[in-house]
Amino acid sequence: MQTLDPDGTKLLIQVVEWLVVGDFNAVAATSGHSRLTAAQIEEAIRSDGRTLVIPPSNALEDLDVVRVKGASEPTWSVRFDLWTLEDGRSDLSLECTICRRLQSAGATIEIDGIHVL
């Protein structure tokens, strides 16, 4: 099983928190190279019709993480199940690419999609 490094995990948690409070501009700004705009992220969340909530801390144990081979810096493809008030773990998932920058502190994230499984 692949794991995500601490900087990547921290960034993923921050993005999920922004999704929960509806700060789609912050998500888009943090993930400058994402495939989705703030409006597209908002539409993907709102069209589901349920209310996102902060997942329990043990939800991170169920991350679907795949290390990207051949990347110049440590990079992971990540799928994280989102949680809703109505369903608990929902059929919505956040799909993203997280990269740990070697030349600077921290990690970057690109939002690849928000999908119904």
Side-chain angles (χ1 to χ4, degrees), residues 50-64:
R50 292 175 277 174
T51 306
L52 289 183
V53 296
I54 299 293
S57 59
N58 67 343
L60 290 172
E61 296 171 8
D62 295 327
L63 280 178
D64 182 6

Side-chain angles (χ1 to χ4, degrees), residues 2 66-77 97-102:
Q2 295 285 322
V66 177
R67 180 82 182 257
V68 177
K69 294 182 183 203
S72 60
E73 297 179 295
T75 304
W76 300 267
S77 174
T97 302
I98 297 177
C99 178
R100 183 170 30 94
R101 297 296 181 206
L102 298 176

Side-chain angles (χ1 to χ4, degrees), residues 3-77:
T3 58
L4 192 56
D5 80 335
D7 287 338
T9 300
K10 182 178 176 182
L11 184 56
L12 177 65
I13 291 167
Q14 179 63 69
V15 167
V16 170
E17 288 173 355
W18 284 330
L19 290 172
V20 168
V21 299
D23 195 346
F24 307 111
N25 288 323
V27 174
T30 298
S31 54
H33 297 93
S34 293
R35 293 179 174 93
L36 301 176
T37 65
Q40 291 169 322
I41 295 167
E42 180 176 10
E43 175 60 25
I45 299 295
R46 301 268 187 243
S47 67
D48 185 60
R50 292 175 277 174
T51 306
L52 289 183
V53 296
I54 299 293
S57 59
N58 67 343
L60 290 172
E61 296 171 8
D62 295 327
L63 280 178
D64 182 6
V65 178
V66 177
R67 180 82 182 257
V68 177
K69 294 182 183 203
S72 60
E73 297 179 295
T75 304
W76 300 267
S77 174

Side-chain angles (χ1 to χ4, degrees), residues 65-116:
V65 178
V66 177
R67 180 82 182 257
V68 177
K69 294 182 183 203
S72 60
E73 297 179 295
T75 304
W76 300 267
S77 174
V78 178
R79 185 185 54 77
F80 183 68
D81 294 333
L82 298 173
W83 289 63
T84 66
L85 181 64
E86 296 81 4
D87 300 324
R89 175 178 286 155
S90 74
D91 57 358
L92 272 181
S93 66
L94 168 65
E95 296 174 5
C96 57
T97 302
I98 297 177
C99 178
R100 183 170 30 94
R101 297 296 181 206
L102 298 176
Q103 300 302 319
S104 61
T108 60
I109 189 168
E110 296 177 21
I111 306 301
D112 300 322
I114 297 174
H115 300 283
V116 175

